[in-house]
């Protein structure tokens, strides 16, 4: 069974924009390799889709959406132009009437996004572009997007400032960027609670390195406290810090999370604490929103 502590990627499995899935090294830009066997990739696709529909996957999307909605009204207009660098949040935003461009390197991931758009009845609001997250098409440099989502990408990138700088290029002046990544502060707690391994939790305190479970791929963990100064150096202002899944991953009874009443109570708790200290500091993921001046 896919468990809440298994951060399988809250979006696409593409190694270019991958979230908490394995990563790749397309054209030497990324550090890791895609699995060579197509059947292994297909299995990962199935696992990712199951993850999305599991309670912890649903919480990841609903909480991130709620945090975004705190700010979208300030952009004006009922239909915004959104650039989603991997596509995980595209369908929800399109369902609200926003035009969303999904950028992904893997055609299979774009096909999966297209299928979800059809299922959600929002195909006219979704545009899929096959491209590298740090080498976007030239016409993206015009700064015409109201919102840019950079969710669960940073842990797979060697150059975090460069990745964020690239993500800001398509964003219009006064636009909103949302950054999400696995929270390094959560790693020791997650290991101690879910794996009952205090020795491994102690070791996790001393490193920013971890591995995904799906393809046994290396990744680098970050904290909001590290990324916020980077965003400021890039000129971003009014940075807000949120936590995604402050409690869910530390509840080990997975069956209870599938119970509708329990899930509803858990979602209310998560929403109530997403911006409340100290909970966002130990949440499994951190989310930062900021404005491009």
């Amino acid at each position: 069974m896919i468990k809440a502590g298994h951060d399988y990627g809250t979006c696409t499995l593409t190694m270019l924009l991958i979230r908490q899935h394995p990563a790749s090294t397309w054209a030497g830009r990324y550090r890791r390799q895609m699995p060579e066997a197509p059947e292994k990739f297909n299995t990962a696709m199935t696992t990712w889709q199951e993850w999305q529909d599991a309670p912890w996957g649903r919480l990841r999307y609903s909480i991130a959406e709620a945090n975004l909605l705190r700010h979208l009204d300030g952009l004006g207009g009922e239909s915004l132009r959104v650039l989603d660098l991997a596509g995980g949040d595209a369908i929800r935003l399109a369902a609200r009437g926003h035009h969303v461009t999904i950028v992904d390197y893997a055609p299979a991931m774009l096909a999966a996004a297209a299928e979800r758009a059809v299922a959600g009845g929002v195909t006219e609001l979704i545009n899929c572009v096959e491209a590298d997250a740090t080498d976007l098409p030239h016409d993206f440099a015009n700064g015409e997007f109201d919102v840019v989502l950079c969710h669960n990408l940073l842990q797979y990138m060697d150059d975090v400032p460069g990745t964020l700088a690239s993500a800001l290029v398509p964003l219009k002046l006064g636009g909103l960027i949302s950054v999400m990544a696995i929270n390094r502060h959560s790693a020791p707690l997650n290991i101690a609670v879910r794996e009952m391994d205090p020795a491994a939790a102690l070791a996790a305190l001393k490193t920013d390195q971890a591995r995904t479970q799906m393809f046994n791929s290396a990744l680098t963990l970050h904290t909001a406290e590290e990324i916020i100064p980077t965003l400021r150096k890039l000129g971003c202002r009014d940075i807000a810090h949120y936590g995604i899944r402050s409690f869910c991953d530390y509840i080990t009874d997975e069956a209870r999370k599938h119970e509708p009443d329990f899930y509803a109570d858990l979602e209310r708790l998560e929403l109530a604490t997403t911006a409340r200290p100290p909970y966002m500091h130990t949440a499994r993921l951190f989310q930062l929103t900021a404005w491009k001046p």
Side-chain angles (χ1 to χ4, degrees):
M1 181 174 66
I2 305 172
K3 297 183 178 180
H6 297 174
D7 288 302
Y8 280 128
T10 54
C11 214
T12 77
L13 262 178
T14 164
M15 298 315 88
L16 141 92
L17 311 171
I18 189 151
R19 318 268 202 200
Q20 290 157 229
H21 275 304
S24 75
T25 57
W26 296 106
R29 295 178 183 277
Y30 302 93
R31 294 175 294 170
R32 304 178 237 318
Q33 300 282 337
M34 282 282 286
E36 295 180 1
E39 61 273 14
K40 188 171 184 179
F41 182 76
N42 291 336
T43 299
M45 281 275 298
T46 300
T47 303
W48 161 63
Q49 291 171 334
E50 292 174 352
W51 188 97
Q52 286 188 308
D53 295 329
W56 32 92
R58 287 154 52 201
L59 282 173
R60 176 269 186 243
Y61 290 112
S62 65
I63 298 166
E65 181 183 28
N67 293 336
L68 284 172
L69 292 179
R70 296 171 184 243
H71 305 284
L72 294 188
D73 287 344
L75 290 170
E78 295 182 357
S79 183
L80 302 173
R81 291 195 61 193
V82 181
L83 176 61
D84 190 346
L85 298 179
D89 299 86
I91 305 303
R92 283 177 174 265
L93 293 175
R96 293 182 173 275
H98 303 300
H99 293 267
V100 185
T101 296
I102 302 171
V103 169
D104 207 316
Y105 198 96
M109 294 303 103
L110 293 176
E115 289 178 5
R116 284 188 172 263
V118 171
V122 293
T123 54
E124 72 282 0
L125 295 174
I126 297 289
N127 178 38
C128 294
V129 176
E130 183 180 343
D132 183 313
T134 59
D135 188 17
L136 296 170
H138 292 299
D139 56 348
F140 280 31
N142 297 328
E144 295 182 353
F145 288 94
D146 301 289
V147 181
V148 171
L149 307 180
C150 183
H151 288 177
N152 291 318
L153 171 62
L154 295 187
Q155 56 260 34
Y156 295 95
M157 309 304 290
D158 288 322
D159 182 6
V160 169
T163 299
L164 291 174
S166 296
L168 284 167
V169 170
L171 187 62
K172 66 170 53 176
L173 299 181
L176 182 75
I177 185 171
S178 176
V179 178
M180 183 188 298
I182 299 175
N183 177 20
R184 190 169 78 240
H185 292 319
S186 74
L189 185 58
N190 196 52
I191 292 170
V193 172
R194 303 197 64 84
E195 300 178 20
M196 296 290 290
D197 191 341
L202 180 62
L205 288 171
K206 305 173 184 178
T207 181
D208 63 357
Q209 298 299 297
R211 302 196 73 83
T212 63
Q213 297 195 20
M214 183 170 291
F215 289 126
N216 192 30
S217 175
L219 50 84
T220 299
L221 305 184
H222 304 281
T223 67
E225 292 83 357
E226 294 169 347
I227 302 303
I228 288 173
T230 301
L231 288 172
R232 285 180 178 151
K233 288 180 181 178
L234 292 170
C236 294
R237 59 177 177 81
D238 297 332
I239 301 171
H241 177 193
Y242 303 103
I244 305 286
R245 301 205 314 260
S246 298
F247 295 92
C248 175
D249 290 34
Y250 308 121
I251 299 173
T252 58
D253 188 341
E254 309 291 26
R256 291 294 306 278
K257 299 171 190 176
H258 288 272
E259 299 175 6
D261 290 344
F262 185 89
Y263 177 85
D265 288 340
L266 179 58
E267 185 177 46
R268 282 191 288 269
L269 174 64
E270 295 282 4
L271 289 170
T273 54
T274 183
R276 183 170 179 172
Y279 306 104
M280 72 269 210
H281 297 291
T282 54
R284 185 56 178 157
L285 306 157
F286 67 82
Q287 182 181 6
L288 303 173
T289 60
W291 299 94
K292 180 177 179 178

